[in-house]
Amino acid sequence: MAELIPPRAPNLPVGPQQYETRYIDQLTNALRLYFNTIDNGFSSLLGRQGGAYLQLPFISASDSTDQLATASNTPTVVTWNTLEGGNGFTLNAPGSATASVSGIYKITYSLQFTNTDNAAHDAAVWLRINTGSGFIDVPRSTTLFTVPPRKSAGVFSYAVAYSEVVFTLNAGDIMALYWATNQAYDTSPATDGVYMEHLPAQTVPYARPAAPSAIGSITFVSSIP
């Protein structure tokens, strides 16, 4: 689809001291071309595919590492190491995003939880925003997930934590996704529990792409009323 170029006011011819038909023709022709450009632009923008001409703030990211909680019952930031795309946001290591445009936004996320324990455990996921004086919890942003017990020794269970939250950001605000579990997996000392697992791409027994431990996006919903 062709790019929608914003119209610019034309340089109108300078009028003579006395009436001249040629000047009027030049003036009306310049105005005609200008208004035609405006008409064409609005026709495209307000047409059935007009949204294709809009560029709204958004960010999409994923993570290709296993993510372990700091400890059981301890808030831990969700990390993102791959920027999939974005406009109007900056991805900060290890797991936050800074907005450059104020607005109402929606985050959609999918986290791949794994449970190595022989009992079901819970995980909570929520939003925090830093407006300049430290991160604070976003009210009513928590979603709870239950990760089922492992299938057998060495064969772990999975649960995809998917949710959406609508929230407000001002320009310069920093947002991050946090999670916690009542039973955190650890390697030292070896402790069975819950963590987020990344699975690389495979070719056998069937081909499939990688499964990120976390993948998500933030999209613009509306300006702030």
Side-chain angles (χ1 to χ4, degrees), residues 3-197:
E3 180 182 1
L4 186 62
I5 301 175
R8 293 186 177 182
N11 293 321
L12 300 178
V14 178
Q17 293 183 352
Q18 296 182 350
Y19 175 83
E20 290 185 7
T21 303
R22 184 178 62 179
Y23 164 75
I24 297 299
D25 292 342
Q26 292 176 343
L27 177 63
T28 55
N29 184 62
L31 293 175
R32 177 183 60 81
L33 294 175
Y34 176 61
F35 289 126
N36 283 346
T37 301
I38 295 177
D39 288 344
N40 292 336
F42 274 107
S43 296
S44 299
L45 188 60
L46 301 179
R48 291 186 176 182
Q49 297 180 336
Y53 295 105
L54 300 178
Q55 294 187 15
L56 302 178
F58 82 98
I59 188 172
S60 177
S62 64
D63 191 75
S64 59
T65 65
D66 293 342
Q67 300 192 39
L68 278 61
T70 304
S72 297
N73 300 310
T74 303
T76 304
V77 67
V78 176
T79 62
W80 314 86
N81 65 6
T82 303
L83 177 64
E84 306 289 354
N87 174 45
F89 276 91
T90 301
L91 181 63
N92 313 306
S96 65
T98 303
S100 61
V101 178
S102 300
I104 299 174
Y105 291 90
K106 180 174 73 173
I107 184 172
T108 303
Y109 60 85
S110 175
L111 310 178
Q112 183 162 266
F113 284 118
T114 301
N115 187 5
T116 67
D117 196 18
N118 199 28
H121 294 293
D122 296 329
V125 184
W126 69 97
L127 270 64
R128 285 181 171 178
I129 294 178
N130 185 346
T131 61
S133 56
F135 280 98
I136 58 174
D137 295 334
V138 175
R140 298 173 297 281
S141 65
T142 300
T143 303
L144 298 176
F145 304 93
T146 298
V147 188
R150 69 189 185 202
K151 300 175 184 178
S152 61
V155 182
F156 308 136
S157 65
Y158 293 93
V160 174
Y162 175 91
S163 189
E164 299 177 341
V165 181
V166 175
F167 58 101
T168 300
L169 289 176
N170 291 307
D173 285 354
I174 304 171
M175 67 79 53
L177 200 62
Y178 277 76
W179 72 287
T181 177
N182 65 317
Q183 181 63 33
Y185 169 83
D186 203 351
T187 57
S188 180
T191 306
D192 284 327
V194 174
Y195 70 102
M196 285 190 283
E197 184 178 21

